[in-house]
Amino acid sequence: MGEEEPRIGVYVCHCGLNIAGVVDVEKVAREAAKLPNVVVSKDYRYMCADPGQEMIKEDIKKYNLTRVVVASCSPRMHEPTFRRCVESAGLNPFLFEMANIREHCSWCHPHYPEDATEKAIDLVKMAVAKARYLSPLEVIKVPVTRAALVIGGGVAGIHAALDLADMGFKVYLVERSPSIGGRMAQLDKTFPTLDCSICILGPKMVDVANHPNIELITYAEVKRVEGYIGNFRVTVVKKPRYVLESECNGCGECVKVCPVEVPNEFDENLGPRKAIYVPFPQAIPMVYTIDMDACIECYNCVEACKEQGREAIDFDMKEEEIHLEVGTIIVATGYDLYDPSRVRAYGYGLYDNVFTAIELERMINAAGPTQGHVIRFSDRRTPRSLAFITCVGSRDVKTNIYCSGFCCMYTLKNAILLKEHYPEMQIYVLFMDLRAPFKGYEEFYRRAREEGIIFLRGRPTELYEDPKTKNLIISMENLSTGEPMDLEVEMVVLSNAAVPAAGTEELSRILTVSRDASGFFMEAHPKLRPIDSPTDGVFFCGAAQGPKDIPYSVAQGSAAASRAARIMARGEWEIEPIVAYVDPERCRNTKTKCGICATKCPYGAITVEEGKAAVVNTAKCHGCGTCAADCPANAITQMHFTDAQIIAQIHAALEEKPEEKIIGFLCNWCSYGAADLAGTSRMEYPPNIRIIRVMCSGRLDRDFILEAFRKGAGMVLASGCRFGDCHYISGNYNAERRLKPLFKMLPRFGISPERFRLEWFSAAEAGFFTNLVKEMVETLKRLGPERIREENEKARPFLDRMLKHIGG
Amino acid sequence: MTWSLRRRGRIIKREEENRTIMERRLLVKQYELLLDRDICIGCGICADNCPKEAIIYSPAEFRGIRAVTRPSIDFDPERCVLCGECVSLCPMHALQMRIEREERVPVIEMNVFPLATRKRW
């Protein structure tokens, strides 16, 4: 704390009726005014609106405020807004603190207005307590490398890469398969205009290949990403294709002499390809690849290549590591299709004539394995009747709950295409609901109906094969008539859902970004930051973030490019100064060999030399606070989340009726996010919990939990991201290692171990969080305040001795 | 038959009387590799020369000095690429390859003779 007493202004937001409808905001403001150091306390309809911000700015000057506390929504929402506001009034932006009385209070406790008001007062009290200990910080400026990495060369990645390259930035486009193009390259036509898919994508792919600013790295995967916004160091592993990209001119003579045929993945394994191949004729780069799993090393291709006067084939090629330095990363890894053989009732893989939609797509494509003929597996005859089954692997609690979005439309498209090719064919679409919400889509649906396609509402329960004719009999309840019915068709096509692409999980770990409950990448904010990842400088576009059709993916590709350019155009970027600082006076390493902090830092940001105090490299430090919690001498401080600030919050929260309260330490990225989501989703839980935000669970010192018990807390929750999802790589592992022993330690002091909970959940798991709080409150009630007080009394002498250094 | 074996493009191995049949069915092309166990003497030439090491050789089992089983071969459908090398080498003509029901041997058609044993030399 500075020499002068802080002068705090408190502003309580009504947020229309979002807060004021439940919480008595005037009472909160009145109570806040009574707190020590609070000079002014007001409530207002919308603090974030211009007049609200003006009010703060005026007050800072009028009352000479040195701290500002706003009680409104989540800091994940408006902290930057208010920081800018106080900064423009001449106050350091880090002298601002926020109390989350909307997501964590009014939205979650609408039926307990009195309790909610009490909780809001506590939350304000905690924020004020922290505000007293805030110190001004200067933002850290880092240089930005003016190059971007785009992961995934589908239609979204291609557009992101082209836009950035046109703006003049260097772009590295990394694609896992031998060619760019992605899913769109596989499609025949696109809805609702029936444009030929590869005809509109092909030229874009050529643009990528020819663009001077784009470096295309195909048949390669991102293995490691280090660094931070503006300064990422990326390791890409390029698989050997055994053909020199510089030499191969794509003549295809090698293919003619290759003796090995294997199924072509690009054709969904319906037709063959050779062991040396390009996946499709328009592939970019137009370079052949040898599939070593299939190659028998006869060297016929080498001979054929020599006859053409070239030596493009190199069997000694090795895996190659490429190191890139980029400022931003765009993830456009797309989707995979749900494996329908998992829905056994539909018999995919068991019955010959059950196909998936993408298989039909390859069949109906003139460049596909059947040259555009739709034929049955059993007899290679064009079926006279065909049924589409929608929502396979989506909208079902047994598979995936989400709606895959584009399946209805591609089903309609395939139905219309089939009707064009085979006007005599009886086509049925068996659907639960048909969703056609965007421009031109409903018209397309109407067209399908007008063209004589039969729509039957109902979810097929079972499907079986006539062993003689290999026709399929579908049992379903026709929901329009309410009658059960059997439908015999010659072919069935399953419209299967989009699922996260293989490798999404691994990539999420490499980039330390989280995934939602369905496994797709999760955006920083569902409404206002749909393109940004929670990691600064990393963006998503296309189906990597959730199923999307082509125009949506293209729009997101361009959006991601502009988000990335926003950072790179400036040439430098400001990062939050919430870094760690080592007090050289207190660091033990000057006297004995310590270095614990350096071993715990997930980013290698701390250097320890013998006999000298440890030093934090601020540009490398991400501000998780793990080192601060692990330092045995308490010599490390995490700025803006100091021990003093957190302990002040604990004390403020437990001033009154502590035995009824739960102190919850939540990490900013996952568990705090889940608590926010619980609010946004209006999930209700008992108002006993008081949440303290830390950047990472790795920050959680054992002392914080013990201090909470010493001050009489009923229960304590420590939580963070699920293992493997930590935004600081290993913070939650460190937290677990440090906090797990408490379960053994607490009973020795006389505290029931069930009063401490250590839980890991993602930002999407709002339901988990609400259930957890409910469960904890049950425990609290079961134990009863008497017993809790008794236990706390018993433990106090031990705790007092252990926490002498904290005082109070 | 297990479900996973029925995925598109996989080679499916089945036994039929004295024959082992390896079949790959694609929508537009069908491949078969047949082994007649009555003819096969278990010389193991195919196993030694298979470029994908997809043939598993089982030597004869002895009880004392008497052989109780003949040496035999078996296929690994995960490794086999249906090149026909084994067919071209079999001295007993116990192996046969068919593409679209027609007797064809790709390595002979393409006039190649890869040497898997090269790796061991």
Side-chain angles (χ1 to χ4, degrees):
Chain A
M1 226 188 299
E3 301 81 46
E4 287 170 46
E5 279 291 302
R7 297 175 61 81
I8 306 175
V10 178
Y11 300 88
V12 185
C13 181
H14 295 203
C15 198
L17 283 176
N18 281 312
I19 296 171
V22 179
V23 172
D24 182 349
V25 279
E26 284 162 25
K27 187 178 172 192
V28 176
R30 273 201 310 277
E31 288 295 320
K34 295 177 195 163
L35 296 170
N37 303 116
V38 173
V39 209
V40 54
S41 174
K42 293 178 174 171
D43 61 283
Y44 184 68
R45 276 177 66 79
Y46 290 104
M47 284 315 305
C48 60
D50 251 3
Q53 295 196 35
E54 278 310 313
M55 185 161 94
I56 297 176
K57 287 181 207 168
E58 276 168 28
D59 283 2
I60 290 175
K61 295 196 181 103
K62 193 162 139 200
Y63 297 100
N64 195 19
L65 298 178
T66 58
R67 305 283 191 281
V68 170
V69 171
V70 173
S72 58
C73 47
S74 170
R76 283 161 56 106
M77 175 90 196
H78 270 319
E79 194 174 52
T81 317
F82 291 115
R83 276 189 183 165
R84 276 196 299 275
C85 163
V86 299
E87 193 177 16
S88 70
L91 198 63
N92 183 285
F94 292 89
L95 297 176
F96 161 77
E97 181 59 25
M98 217 161 168
N100 185 349
I101 62 167
R102 192 179 75 175
E103 278 86 344
H104 290 183
C105 189
S106 67
W107 275 351
C108 299
H109 318 306
H111 296 105
Y112 303 95
E114 275 166 30
D115 290 344
T117 305
E118 201 179 295
K119 179 173 178 180
I121 294 168
D122 269 2
L123 293 176
V124 171
K125 224 190 260 179
M126 288 159 69
V128 169
K130 181 173 178 181
R132 276 190 213 115
Y133 290 92
L134 290 176
S135 49
L137 302 172
E138 293 308 319
V139 289
I140 299 162
K141 285 188 177 155
V142 292
V144 174
T145 310
R146 292 164 72 89
L149 167 71
V150 178
I151 307 172
V155 66
I158 285 173
H159 276 85
L162 282 174
D163 279 10
L164 280 174
D166 284 345
M167 289 182 226
F169 299 108
K170 174 88 189 162
V171 180
Y172 301 98
L173 178 57
V174 174
E175 165 62 42
R176 183 164 58 182
S177 64
S179 169
I180 57 168
R183 286 281 168 197
M184 189 177 166
Q186 280 186 296
L187 308 181
D188 179 37
K189 300 283 190 310
T190 58
F191 56 78
T193 48
L194 300 185
D195 281 313
C196 159
S197 187
I198 193 71
C199 315
I200 53 178
L201 182 66
K204 290 276 175 192
M205 289 163 59
V206 176
D207 286 351
V208 169
N210 295 337
H211 206 295
N213 286 342
I214 299 180
E215 190 174 323
L216 187 56
I217 308 170
T218 52
Y219 214 43
E221 284 184 55
V222 173
K223 272 280 136 28
R224 207 164 44 245
V225 174
E226 292 162 324
Y228 49 93
I229 182 168
N231 300 276
F232 292 108
R233 283 185 312 282
V234 183
T235 309
V236 176
V237 173
K238 192 166 166 53
K239 291 172 271 185
R241 65 196 319 157
Y242 303 103
V243 177
L244 299 170
E245 284 181 30
S246 50
E247 287 298 308
C248 178
N249 65 352
C251 69
E253 287 301 315
C254 49
V255 173
K256 291 184 192 157
V257 298
C258 179
V260 179
E261 278 185 354
V262 285
N264 189 355
E265 306 84 354
F266 187 80
D267 282 336
E268 295 298 320
N269 301 329
L270 296 176
R273 65 161 166 82
K274 292 293 182 73
I276 185 163
Y277 70 105
V278 284
F280 55 103
Q282 298 85 349
I284 297 284
M286 193 58 200
V287 174
Y288 280 78
T289 304
I290 297 179
D291 173 2
M292 267 303 155
D293 286 338
C295 177
I296 59 171
E297 294 179 50
C298 67
Y299 304 115
N300 249 9
C301 47
V302 180
E303 294 303 318
C305 196
K306 264 193 198 137
E307 273 168 37
Q308 296 298 309
R310 287 178 179 269
E311 288 186 7
I313 295 168
D314 174 12
F315 272 86
D316 292 328
M317 203 179 259
K318 294 270 163 354
E319 204 172 79
E320 188 189 346
E321 269 198 5
I322 301 169
H323 298 276
L324 305 174
E325 294 204 346
V326 296
T328 52
I329 297 175
I330 295 176
V331 180
T333 47
Y335 66 96
D336 272 348
L337 287 155
Y338 179 79
D339 172 10
S341 65
R342 287 165 60 190
V343 184
R344 299 204 166 184
Y346 295 162
Y348 177 81
L350 188 62
Y351 305 138
D352 270 353
N353 298 324
V354 180
F355 290 86
T356 64
I358 192 87
E359 287 172 345
L360 178 75
E361 200 84 52
R362 289 311 297 156
M363 255 195 270
I364 208 163
N365 191 322
T370 57
Q371 286 84 43
H373 300 292
V374 175
I375 51 173
R376 310 208 306 167
F377 225 111
S378 57
D379 48 17
R380 295 192 194 155
R381 182 171 63 70
T382 299
R384 285 176 292 245
S385 58
L386 183 146
F388 289 97
I389 300 178
T390 60
C391 300
V392 178
S394 60
R395 304 184 63 214
D396 184 348
V397 285
K398 279 182 253 156
T399 57
N400 294 306
I401 304 172
Y402 60 87
C403 169
S404 175
F406 52 52
C407 320
C408 284
M409 289 310 296
Y410 77 58
T411 305
L412 292 177
K413 173 198 71 180
N414 287 339
I416 287 176
L417 285 178
L418 280 174
K419 206 74 195 169
E420 261 177 21
H421 283 50
Y422 309 104
E424 299 302 312
M425 193 188 282
Q426 275 286 7
I427 299 170
Y428 301 91
V429 175
L430 314 180
F431 69 103
M432 293 212 297
D433 298 290
L434 236 140
R435 298 178 169 181
F438 295 110
K439 196 171 173 178
Y441 289 10
E442 182 66 24
E443 293 87 328
F444 195 65
Y445 176 31
R446 182 170 288 269
R447 176 176 162 191
R449 280 190 174 274
E450 279 163 4
E451 287 189 13
I453 292 154
I454 302 155
F455 289 83
L456 292 173
R457 192 182 183 126
R459 182 163 232 172
T461 47
E462 221 192 331
L463 189 154
Y464 49 96
E465 184 182 56
D466 182 330
K468 247 197 238 138
T469 59
K470 302 282 178 187
N471 287 352
L472 299 148
I473 296 117
I474 304 166
S475 307
M476 63 179 276
E477 189 191 340
N478 185 338
L479 288 179
S480 315
T481 61
E483 307 260 309
M485 63 175 283
D486 278 349
L487 180 70
E488 182 171 343
V489 287
E490 296 192 343
M491 187 163 157
V492 165
V493 177
L494 306 175
S495 297
N496 46 344
V499 295
T504 301
E505 194 183 346
E506 199 194 336
L507 192 60
S508 76
R509 205 162 297 146
I510 291 170
L511 293 168
T512 58
V513 293
S514 44
R515 298 182 304 143
D516 60 24
S518 320
F520 291 102
F521 287 113
M522 195 159 82
E523 61 280 13
H525 190 280
K527 297 285 171 285
L528 300 176
R529 293 175 70 192
I531 304 291
D532 302 10
S533 85
T535 303
D536 285 340
V538 179
F539 305 94
F540 303 128
C541 61
Q545 180 258 353
K548 274 173 203 72
D549 60 12
I550 294 165
Y552 196 175
S553 297
V554 171
Q556 280 210 332
S558 296
S562 86
R563 293 293 289 170
R566 175 177 159 261
I567 291 164
M568 293 189 292
R570 289 243 302 260
E572 67 172 16
W573 196 251
E574 290 169 354
I575 53 175
E576 284 204 16
I578 52 169
V579 291
Y581 165 75
V582 183
D583 181 353
E585 299 287 312
R586 300 181 73 170
C587 179
R588 250 182 19 179
N589 202 58
T590 49
K591 297 180 203 92
T592 50
K593 233 175 145 184
C594 177
I596 291 175
C597 49
T599 61
K600 295 292 181 272
C601 176
Y603 299 97
I606 305 179
T607 34
V608 177
E609 280 176 47
E610 223 180 308
K612 284 186 192 162
V615 179
V616 178
N617 177 351
T618 34
K620 266 187 172 177
C621 176
H622 284 51
C624 62
T626 301
C627 55
D630 268 323
C631 178
N634 284 327
I636 306 181
T637 308
Q638 188 198 359
M639 295 304 179
H640 214 58
F641 292 90
T642 64
D643 282 4
Q645 290 166 2
I646 292 172
I647 283 163
Q649 282 176 290
I650 298 172
H651 289 182
L654 298 172
E655 260 172 30
E656 283 162 44
K657 293 187 274 184
E659 62 282 348
E660 284 173 22
K661 288 175 190 167
I662 301 166
I663 296 289
F665 296 99
L666 272 59
C667 90
N668 179 59
W669 304 103
C670 288
S671 41
Y672 196 92
D676 274 1
L677 184 61
T680 338
S681 320
R682 309 294 199 277
M683 291 177 173
E684 289 186 40
Y685 54 85
N688 303 46
I689 190 161
R690 302 289 179 270
I691 291 169
I692 295 173
R693 180 171 75 126
V694 287
M695 289 314 283
C696 175
S697 54
R699 174 69 185 93
L700 296 178
D701 202 314
R702 214 180 284 167
D703 290 355
F704 297 161
I705 285 106
L706 295 176
E707 178 66 9
F709 282 123
R710 182 164 77 127
K711 288 290 165 189
M715 285 185 80
V716 178
L717 164 69
S719 66
C721 308
R722 284 192 176 279
F723 291 114
D725 291 353
C726 179
H727 289 250
Y728 303 98
I729 308 170
S730 57
N732 49 3
Y733 290 99
N734 279 318
E736 198 199 28
R737 171 187 52 76
R738 199 183 306 129
L739 299 179
K740 229 179 173 179
L742 281 173
F743 290 110
K744 283 202 177 140
M745 223 156 127
L746 291 172
R748 267 187 259 147
F749 304 145
I751 292 174
S752 313
E754 64 258 48
R755 288 174 54 200
F756 174 56
R757 292 289 293 261
L758 188 56
E759 299 287 343
W760 315 107
F761 46 97
S762 80
E765 291 174 278
F768 183 97
F769 172 74
T770 43
N771 286 338
L772 177 67
V773 177
K774 282 179 197 163
E775 218 180 287
M776 289 180 77
V777 173
E778 287 295 305
T779 315
L780 210 55
K781 280 187 186 148
R782 186 163 44 79
L783 294 170
E786 301 297 313
R787 178 159 167 201
I788 288 169
R789 267 196 294 268
E790 219 170 90
E791 285 187 1
N792 287 348
E793 274 316 307
K794 208 173 148 201
R796 196 181 311 272
F798 295 101
L799 294 175
D800 275 339
R801 218 175 313 136
M802 282 185 77
L803 301 169
K804 231 186 306 177
H805 57 280
I806 293 175
Chain B
M1 184 143 315
T2 61
W3 289 76
S4 60
L5 283 180
R6 310 263 341 212
R7 300 266 165 77
R8 297 265 188 265
R10 287 267 183 97
I11 296 177
I12 294 163
K13 186 169 78 174
R14 65 175 196 271
E15 304 288 332
E16 232 171 57
E17 287 171 24
N18 295 321
R19 292 201 304 179
T20 300
I21 301 170
M22 297 262 285
E23 187 186 14
R24 174 193 282 149
R25 280 176 70 202
L26 302 183
L27 181 62
V28 293
K29 218 167 180 182
Q30 184 252 7
Y31 309 73
E32 272 175 307
L33 174 63
L34 304 107
L35 165 69
D36 193 323
R37 292 195 180 275
D38 284 342
I39 303 173
C40 174
I41 55 163
C43 66
I45 289 176
C46 53
D48 283 345
N49 288 286
C50 173
K52 299 312 284 181
E53 297 175 24
I55 298 177
I56 307 142
Y57 176 72
S58 313
E61 273 178 44
F62 287 89
R63 192 169 298 150
I65 51 159
R66 275 188 58 184
V68 288
T69 58
R70 279 208 303 197
S72 63
I73 60 159
D74 202 0
F75 303 110
D76 180 351
E78 295 295 313
R79 284 170 166 245
C80 179
V81 293
L82 298 169
C83 65
E85 174 89 352
C86 50
V87 180
S88 73
L89 286 170
C90 181
M92 305 304 292
H93 301 287
L95 288 156
Q96 197 186 33
M97 197 168 157
R98 293 187 200 153
I99 298 176
E100 291 287 283
R101 311 268 168 215
E102 208 180 293
E103 214 171 300
R104 288 172 64 183
V105 185
V107 285
I108 293 177
E109 281 175 20
M110 292 295 177
N111 199 17
V112 290
F113 194 78
L115 294 168
T117 40
R118 175 181 49 92
K119 288 173 195 156
R120 270 165 254 159
W121 287 343

